[in-house]
Amino acid sequence: MKVVKFGGSSLASGRQLEKVFQIVTADRERKVVVVSAPGKRYAEDIKVTDLLIECADYCLQNKDPKEKVASVLERYAAIANELNLADGVIQEIHDDLLTRIAGDKSKPDRFIDLLKASGEDNNAKLVAAYFRAQGVEAHYVDPKEAGLLVSDEPGNAQALPESYLRLNSLNEQSGIQIFPGFFGYSLSGEVFTFSRSGSDITGSILANALKADLYENFTDVDAVYSVNPSIVQKPKEIKELTYREMRELSYAGFTVLHDEALVPAFRAGIPVNIKNTNNPSAPGTLIVNERDNTNGPVIGIASDKGFCSIYVSKYLMNREIGFGRKLLGVLEDYGLSYEHTPSGIDDVSVILRENQLDEKIMDEVINRIKNELHADEVKVAHSLALIMVVGEGMRRNVGTMARASNALAKARVNIEMINQGSSEVSMMFGVKEVDEKRAVQALYEEFFVPVTV
């Protein structure tokens, strides 16, 4: 049995939904279909989820949301009209949206979640209606009735352990089950959403709960690429990679799959296949527990901007018990999370997302480190990019770090920071943001472009 998930771009129009129908019905093993809200039809378009957030904001500001509601309904109506669906499903969506708008606004975060979740929920109703109109037995699944229970954390819900046993009953249902992604219900019956792009998480949860043979995640690209195509033209496609490699790459900027989505599938050992709705015959990328390392030490290179580094130096730091705890305690006092802490015997750097800090907080943090930890030197480097070089094969290859460093040197890119994980599956380089593209291109040429004689 297969669980299959379709992203917003795969469901943005009636034509796209026709493709989805053909894909699902082409394989009898595709029993459970997870759907996102309609995405963009063209570059300047607005996703339905964004329209719903605007609608919620209007309601919370006591503004008339009539125009925003009309924009949301128009998106569903356009799809229904393109597919010649009866008006009943649009009326159902209309009534559902008005009921949500009339909901409790005393807790704004929960109200926003309630409206956001309607994008996927109502799209699942529309998709199920279309499948039935084509003569296929299909059922909309209410996550509440199915038993998808989540923690009461607005915008960051986590599936509760008991969900998996409850959801397994879907295996006993006939026909194709159309399940809305992105949200679940708390024990008290309230709607809470996963983090953004959380429909991937729903698909992974269902794959785990139903003991699926495969979790197929359909998007708008043929495969996961070894590097961002906007930085390197026509990069090499990745045919197969491990969960651990995908997690490392997702963290550093790969946006094909939500970085939390793999966790439930990983725990159950279920392979994930990334495929293209617009080219379903392409094999895509398979994510597995283990793979043969026959393609060299590096599988992919990813990069992300928006970091800063706090460098702290103190003579005999390594002998001072509790120094690291005190340093991170200062950050904790300001609610700051850190990404990495590469260190030496007398110095340590703390890498943070720069958007957590303003000038006032930064000055206070620096002063506290100087005064409370009696540091000899504290320096801050702004506008850093982190570049992740990933590959299970690095554990069995000598000299990968040297090759990467030499490639950056030849490209005249100064390395601000180096960090290699203890798993030896990845190495990270910190460079100035202005050098990011040049650095990625140099690393790609080193590890993926054959040397010509």
Side-chain angles (χ1 to χ4, degrees):
M1 191 273 283
K2 298 176 182 177
V3 171
V4 54
K5 178 262 178 181
F6 291 92
S9 61
S10 301
L11 298 160
S13 67
R15 174 70 185 117
Q16 289 297 93
L17 185 44
E18 288 175 343
K19 295 177 185 178
V20 167
F21 176 79
Q22 294 298 328
I23 289 168
V24 173
T25 55
D27 188 341
R28 297 181 65 180
E29 293 298 307
R30 291 171 176 145
K31 298 288 189 182
V32 176
V33 180
V34 178
V35 300
S36 298
K40 291 185 178 184
R41 295 161 291 186
Y42 45 86
E44 297 78 20
D45 201 11
I46 302 176
K47 297 178 181 179
V48 164
T49 300
D50 291 328
L51 290 173
L52 289 165
I53 292 172
E54 291 178 3
C55 184
D57 288 340
Y58 265 54
C59 292
L60 292 171
Q61 296 170 28
N62 293 319
K63 296 180 181 179
D64 187 352
K66 184 177 180 180
E67 289 186 8
K68 299 298 180 182
V69 172
S71 296
V72 173
L73 292 174
E74 184 276 328
R75 291 296 303 275
Y76 291 107
I79 296 171
N81 292 336
E82 195 176 344
L83 299 171
N84 297 314
L85 289 178
D87 294 336
V89 66
I90 298 303
Q91 185 62 49
E92 184 180 0
I93 293 172
H94 172 270
D95 294 345
D96 174 81
L97 191 54
L98 291 186
T99 298
R100 291 173 190 256
I101 286 173
D104 182 11
K105 301 176 184 62
S106 62
K107 297 178 179 177
D109 289 347
R110 298 180 184 222
F111 178 73
I112 292 172
D113 267 17
L114 180 66
L115 253 64
K116 279 195 301 186
S118 72
E120 278 74 11
D121 199 35
N122 285 320
N123 207 28
K125 297 170 187 175
L126 190 152
V127 171
Y130 174 63
F131 274 50
R132 290 194 296 269
Q134 300 304 301
V136 173
E137 182 185 359
H139 308 279
Y140 156 76
V141 180
D142 183 344
K144 187 175 185 179
E145 294 179 2
L148 180 47
L149 298 175
V150 300
S151 59
D152 54 352
E153 300 174 79
N156 192 38
Q158 307 293 315
L160 300 182
E162 53 265 45
S163 291
Y164 294 92
L165 183 60
R166 291 168 180 256
L167 291 167
N168 186 261
S169 63
L170 289 175
N171 273 319
E172 303 167 8
Q173 306 301 314
S174 63
I176 297 171
Q177 310 300 308
I178 311 296
F179 202 107
F182 191 35
F183 73 97
Y185 285 83
S186 68
L187 292 171
S188 62
E190 290 184 87
V191 171
F192 289 95
T193 65
F194 299 119
S195 50
R196 195 67 189 265
S197 302
S199 292
D200 292 335
I201 299 175
T202 304
S204 189
I205 290 169
L206 287 170
N208 180 312
L210 299 172
K211 310 303 179 190
D213 299 305
L214 181 68
Y215 169 33
E216 295 180 305
N217 193 297
F218 279 82
T219 180
D220 54 6
V221 293
D222 279 350
V224 176
Y225 294 101
S226 55
V227 72
N228 189 335
S230 68
I231 296 178
V232 175
Q233 290 188 346
K234 297 181 180 179
K236 183 179 178 182
E237 293 182 1
I238 302 175
K239 292 183 172 60
E240 188 176 68
L241 74 165
T242 65
Y243 288 114
R244 185 159 45 183
E245 288 170 330
M246 188 66 196
R247 169 69 179 108
E248 299 273 7
L249 291 169
S250 295
Y251 163 77
F254 270 41
T255 58
V256 174
L257 196 63
H258 191 287
D259 62 358
E260 291 180 31
L262 293 178
V263 176
F266 165 73
R267 288 173 177 163
I270 297 168
V272 179
N273 198 182
I274 309 296
K275 293 178 71 69
N276 190 351
T277 303
N278 302 311
N279 185 20
S281 62
T285 296
L286 194 63
I287 305 171
V288 294
N289 269 325
E290 296 182 2
R291 66 176 179 85
D292 293 329
N293 297 307
T294 57
N295 63 325
V298 176
I299 193 73
I301 302 165
S303 63
D304 198 10
K305 297 178 180 178
F307 296 92
C308 67
S309 170
I310 302 176
Y311 170 82
V312 182
S313 175
K314 185 178 183 181
Y315 191 62
L316 298 180
M317 178 190 293
N318 67 312
R319 297 188 185 180
E320 185 172 335
I321 297 173
F323 187 90
R325 175 184 56 79
K326 295 173 186 174
L327 174 60
L328 297 179
V330 173
L331 301 183
E332 184 179 1
D333 289 345
Y334 291 89
L336 303 174
S337 62
Y338 72 95
E339 306 291 323
H340 307 278
T341 55
S343 64
I345 58 171
D346 286 336
D347 53 27
V348 60
S349 291
V350 183
I351 312 299
L352 307 92
R353 293 275 180 180
E354 201 153 23
N355 59 10
Q356 300 181 92
L357 299 154
D358 57 29
E359 190 172 342
K360 180 176 181 296
I361 292 176
M362 180 64 80
D363 288 342
E364 290 181 9
V365 167
I366 292 172
N367 287 331
R368 284 191 58 184
I369 293 171
K370 287 179 178 178
N371 297 328
E372 296 176 20
L373 278 68
H374 307 292
D376 298 326
E377 184 180 13
V378 181
K379 293 191 301 185
V380 178
H382 295 280
S383 302
L384 296 180
L386 296 185
I387 300 172
M388 189 85 78
V389 180
V390 177
E392 297 273 2
M394 287 195 292
R395 290 183 293 178
R396 301 172 184 84
N397 280 264
V398 176
T400 307
M401 177 66 78
R403 288 178 62 185
S405 299
N406 288 336
L408 294 175
K410 289 178 183 177
R412 301 185 67 80
V413 173
N414 186 51
I415 300 172
E416 303 287 332
M417 179 271 293
I418 296 178
N419 191 25
Q420 183 164 20
S422 57
S423 67
E424 298 183 55
V425 173
S426 67
M427 60 180 69
M428 179 177 294
F429 298 93
V431 303
K432 292 293 186 183
E433 287 184 357
V434 293
D435 295 327
E436 178 196 10
K437 287 188 177 181
R438 193 164 77 257
V440 171
Q441 290 164 351
L443 291 167
Y444 181 82
E445 289 179 10
E446 175 64 32
F447 291 107
F448 292 98
V449 178
V451 178
T452 56
V453 180

